[in-house]
Amino acid sequence: MLWITSPYPDSGPGGALHVAAALWLLAHGAELVRTDTLSGVPAPVGVAPLLLLALPAWLLHRAGRDTANGGPGSGGDGFGDEAGAVDVVAGPPTASARTAWAGVVLGYLAVAVAAALYAAGGPLRPSCVWAGVCVPLVAVLAAAAGVWSAYGRPGGPLRRLLGVVPAAVRPLVLGPGGRPGVATRAVAAGLAVLLGGGALLVVVSLVVHGATAQGSLLRLTEGWSGRFAVLLLCAALVPNAAVWGAAYALGPGFALGAGHAVGPLSSAPAPFLPSFPLLAAVPEAGEGRPVHWMAGVVPLIAGVVVGRVVARGAVPGERGGTGPGHGRGVAWSAGRTARAAGVAAVLCAALLTGLAALSGGPLGGALLARFGPVWWQVGAASLAWMLLVAVPTAVAVRAWRCRTPGEEGPGDGGRRGERTPEGDAHRGRRPREGSGSGRGWFTRTGAERPGEADTSRSRRGTAPGTSDPAPEEPRDPYDPYAPYAPYAPFDYDVSFRHQGQDQGKGQGQDDTEYEPYGFLTAGPAVEDHRRSDSAPRPDAAPEPDGQ
């Protein structure tokens, strides 16, 4: 399309198609070799735009998913045409996992071989080694992810892949039901902060050097088609720039040629570089200034975020955090919390190392043989930042969330939202039996246990530990089971909380303090009470007509 709209094309349609095929292979990570150099020596081109890698990965994922499901929009297996058949509900995948995966991978590799052979005759020739490794790897992983999603993302395959990981680490990486573990969620949050902060640094630097970036765009090409092509290339390189910005914030920075490192502490004078808008964001050469040192806030925030996510998983509680006994789970020990933060730091460093290796590469020979961040330096710096910040943060936040409710503040500030049987008795309310931690609305309380005598006394009007009767709650005239409550051998906790219903009460009456009441199958005392009632018994013989 760009060749068609170009006012001054320097090649025919064959050259444009050769470049397109070479860029398609570069999107998979395959290194290219440029043959038309001034010196005649072939120069490698290994900086692959990461946004181009996302496109074939997404297409392969969707192809694997649709193949396992029998194609997009498939309506089933054809057995729903019988008489009286109901609407067909989406069932299990129609193709086996191995069949769908092998079909997608083999078909994709067949097209890749044809594209590599075609691109070998153009100005950008793919490297046979890189094309033979990167393209099959992307196809295998992306297609496998698509088939896995078609089968409902089961946790079995992931557990088999984690077989080499120590048993104590597996629950931190993969939770129950195949869901991400605490360490996995922390890694995702930390990477999002690091990459987002790196992208923000690039945007701020571009705004500061806006005039230089605009001038480079106008000088690089004159026609609108060429400028549009440059803007597309800049957009495809935005993920690379985010990784480079994260490497800059971590400390090692990135290289603009062999021996020319750019970091927050110091920047070596860069060699002569082509006029490109994104390169205008490179800081000036010289010693770093405080404005450059402020980039260290990005990994600091990332470490704090990782520690907080780990601490929230270590002390599962209600929204806002609660003390022990008020959450939905058991708090981890400080050692286990620190170990989870350490696992998250290692995983975050490993993923960032891989992204740094993918985002850089050579752009030529001699000085341009190294372009981008050094992967092992980025990994070491990331691991150091995460261990020094995330582990103490996780332990400290875990200790804060495990504080006792009484430490909230003076008075009853830490127990403001609690309801106890004693407080209910003094307020004139019936305490909800079985309303402790882990008890539901329809929980059988069973026989009276030690410590429940005071509660039952408070229900009958006597406050525990005192001889004075508590104020008796007025009986609800619409409560049909109120007379039987004192005779029930054991209770059921029933909470009739239906919104928008009066529950037999007056239309203008506030039912916010409407308490549950207990009832059960009638016992002997209840039967005697029924016999004294004027209503006939259910099992009594019908009386003659007219009486």
Side-chain angles (χ1 to χ4, degrees):
M1 182 192 67
L2 294 174
W3 173 81
I4 293 174
T5 57
S6 176
Y8 307 105
D10 55 356
S11 63
L17 292 178
H18 280 92
V19 172
L23 291 179
W24 184 77
L25 294 172
L26 180 66
H28 295 78
E31 187 176 288
L32 304 179
V33 178
R34 184 166 53 91
T35 57
D36 55 346
T37 59
L38 296 178
S39 61
V41 179
V45 178
V47 179
L50 293 182
L51 193 61
L52 290 183
L53 176 61
L55 181 60
W58 172 66
L59 292 174
L60 278 164
H61 177 276
R62 193 179 68 173
R65 182 194 61 195
D66 293 344
T67 304
N69 286 331
S74 58
D77 50 6
F79 291 98
D81 299 334
E82 301 177 1
V86 297
D87 293 339
V88 178
V89 181
T94 58
S96 65
R98 293 183 180 180
T99 302
W101 173 79
V104 173
V105 171
L106 293 178
Y108 197 81
L109 292 182
V111 177
V113 170
L117 294 176
Y118 180 76
L124 292 173
R125 300 176 182 178
S127 172
C128 298
V129 177
W130 284 97
V133 173
C134 296
V135 178
L137 183 62
V138 173
V140 166
L141 294 180
V147 175
W148 176 64
S149 64
Y151 277 80
R153 299 180 178 88
L158 295 180
R159 294 188 184 94
R160 286 193 291 270
L161 290 176
L162 294 176
V164 297
V165 180
V169 179
R170 296 172 195 170
L172 302 176
V173 179
L174 184 64
R179 293 174 296 179
V182 174
T184 305
R185 297 195 299 268
V187 168
L191 278 179
V193 174
L194 283 174
L195 297 180
L200 182 61
L201 292 178
V202 174
V203 171
V204 171
S205 184
L206 280 177
V207 171
V208 173
H209 304 86
T212 305
Q214 182 180 4
S216 64
L217 175 63
L218 297 178
R219 287 194 304 269
L220 190 60
T221 180
E222 296 181 356
W224 286 104
S225 62
R227 293 173 183 175
F228 183 68
V230 172
L231 291 178
L232 282 180
L233 183 57
C234 291
L237 288 171
V238 165
N240 300 65
V243 177
W244 291 22
Y248 182 88
L250 288 170
F254 50 90
L256 289 179
H260 298 270
V262 177
L265 299 179
S266 63
S267 299
F272 178 76
L273 296 175
S275 179
F276 192 69
L278 286 181
L279 293 179
V282 176
E284 295 82 3
E287 295 293 331
R289 292 176 292 177
V291 67
H292 299 146
W293 302 342
M294 291 179 61
V297 176
V298 173
L300 181 63
I301 297 176
V304 172
V305 169
V306 171
R308 283 185 57 86
V309 173
V310 171
R312 291 183 61 183
V315 188
E318 299 175 358
R319 182 173 297 180
T322 57
H326 296 272
R328 293 188 294 271
V330 181
W332 294 357
S333 63
R336 186 181 181 185
T337 304
R339 183 169 64 250
V343 171
V346 172
L347 293 178
C348 186
L351 291 178
L352 199 61
T353 300
L355 290 177
L358 291 176
S359 64
L363 278 181
L367 290 176
L368 295 183
R370 178 177 295 178
F371 206 76
V374 182
W375 59 271
W376 63 269
Q377 295 179 0
V378 173
S382 175
L383 181 62
W385 274 102
M386 293 298 109
L387 288 178
L388 293 177
V389 179
V391 175
T393 301
V395 175
V397 175
R398 176 238 171 228
W400 171 255
R401 290 174 65 88
C402 286
R403 67 193 185 282
T404 57
E407 297 174 358
E408 294 281 348
D412 62 344
R415 310 177 66 88
R416 186 175 292 109
E418 296 185 35
R419 290 185 56 187
T420 59
E422 293 81 359
D424 286 342
H426 286 291
R427 286 192 294 266
R429 297 178 181 175
R430 287 199 305 266
R432 292 181 55 191
E433 297 189 11
S435 60
S437 175
R439 309 290 293 272
W441 287 357
F442 295 86
T443 304
R444 179 172 176 172
T445 59
E448 185 179 86
R449 291 185 292 271
E452 292 185 356
D454 295 339
T455 304
S456 60
R457 264 199 311 273
S458 65
R459 289 185 55 191
R460 291 171 174 82
T462 304
T466 62
S467 59
D468 299 332
E472 185 176 0
E473 182 183 10
R475 178 172 295 176
D476 189 355
Y478 298 97
D479 188 355
Y481 294 98
Y484 309 117
Y487 306 101
F490 54 94
D491 297 333
Y492 275 89
D493 238 0
V494 181
S495 180
F496 293 92
R497 299 182 178 180
H498 299 285
Q499 298 180 358
Q501 299 184 7
D502 295 330
Q503 296 292 338
K505 307 185 76 172
Q507 294 292 336
Q509 189 174 358
D510 185 12
D511 59 351
T512 56
E513 296 185 358
Y514 183 65
E515 294 292 334
Y517 51 85
F519 73 93
L520 187 67
T521 310
V526 181
E527 294 293 341
D528 297 339
H529 187 81
R530 284 182 175 177
R531 293 192 186 97
S532 63
D533 199 352
S534 59
R537 294 177 56 184
D539 55 350
E543 296 183 359
D545 297 336
Q547 295 184 2

